[in-house]
Coordinates of all heavy atoms in Angstrom, one line a residue:
N4 N 9.0 -18.9 16.2 CA 7.9 -18.0 16.7 C 7.7 -16.8 15.8 O 6.5 -16.5 15.6 CB 8.3 -17.5 18.1 CG 8.3 -18.6 19.2 OD1 7.8 -19.7 18.9 ND2 8.8 -18.3 20.3
L12 N 0.0 -12.6 11.3 CA -0.2 -11.2 10.9 C -0.6 -11.1 9.4 O -1.5 -10.3 9.1 CB 1.1 -10.4 11.0 CG 1.5 -10.0 12.5 CD1 3.0 -9.7 12.6 CD2 0.6 -8.9 13.0
K14 N -2.5 -13.3 7.9 CA -3.9 -13.7 7.9 C -4.7 -12.5 8.4 O -5.8 -12.3 7.9 CB -4.1 -14.9 8.7 CG -3.6 -16.2 8.0 CD -3.7 -17.4 8.9 CE -3.2 -18.6 8.3 NZ -3.3 -19.8 9.2
F18 N -7.6 -10.6 6.3 CA -8.9 -10.4 6.8 C -9.3 -8.9 6.7 O -10.4 -8.6 6.3 CB -9.0 -10.9 8.3 CG -10.4 -10.6 8.9 CD1 -11.4 -11.5 8.7 CD2 -10.6 -9.4 9.6 CE1 -12.7 -11.2 9.3 CE2 -11.8 -9.1 10.1 CZ -12.9 -10.0 10.0
N21 N -10.0 -7.9 3.1 CA -11.2 -8.5 2.5 C -12.5 -8.1 3.1 O -13.6 -8.4 2.6 CB -11.0 -10.0 2.4 CG -9.9 -10.4 1.5 OD1 -9.7 -9.7 0.5 ND2 -9.3 -11.5 1.8
T36 N -9.8 -13.4 15.0 CA -9.3 -14.5 14.1 C -7.9 -14.8 14.2 O -7.5 -16.0 14.2 CB -9.7 -14.2 12.6 OG1 -9.1 -13.0 12.2 CG2 -11.2 -14.1 12.4
P47 N 11.2 -11.1 18.8 CA 12.5 -10.8 19.4 C 12.5 -9.4 20.0 O 11.7 -8.6 19.7 CB 13.5 -10.8 18.2 CG 12.6 -10.5 17.0 CD 11.2 -11.1 17.3
Q81 N -9.6 6.0 15.3 CA -8.6 5.2 16.2 C -8.5 3.8 15.7 O -7.4 3.3 15.7 CB -9.2 5.2 17.6 CG -9.1 6.5 18.4 CD -9.8 6.5 19.7 OE1 -10.9 6.0 19.8 NE2 -9.2 7.0 20.7
A82 N -9.6 3.2 15.3 CA -9.5 1.8 14.7 C -8.7 1.8 13.5 O -7.9 0.9 13.3 CB -10.9 1.3 14.5
Q87 N -3.7 0.3 10.6 CA -2.5 0.6 9.9 C -1.3 0.1 10.7 O -0.3 -0.4 10.0 CB -2.4 2.1 9.7 CG -1.1 2.6 9.0 CD -1.0 2.0 7.6 OE1 -1.9 1.9 6.9 NE2 0.2 1.5 7.4
S91 N 1.5 -2.4 9.2 CA 3.0 -2.1 9.2 C 3.8 -3.1 10.0 O 4.9 -3.5 9.5 CB 3.2 -0.7 9.9 OG 2.6 0.3 9.1
A97 N 7.6 -9.6 8.2 CA 8.0 -10.4 7.0 C 9.4 -10.0 6.5 O 10.1 -10.8 6.1 CB 6.9 -10.1 5.9
S106 N 20.2 -14.6 5.4 CA 21.5 -14.6 6.1 C 21.9 -16.1 6.4 O 23.1 -16.3 6.7 CB 21.4 -13.8 7.4 OG 20.6 -14.4 8.4

Side-chain angles (χ1 to χ4, degrees):
N4 290 350
L12 286 164
K14 289 178 182 177
F18 175 87
N21 292 329
T36 57
Q81 289 170 316
Q87 179 57 47
S91 295
S106 70

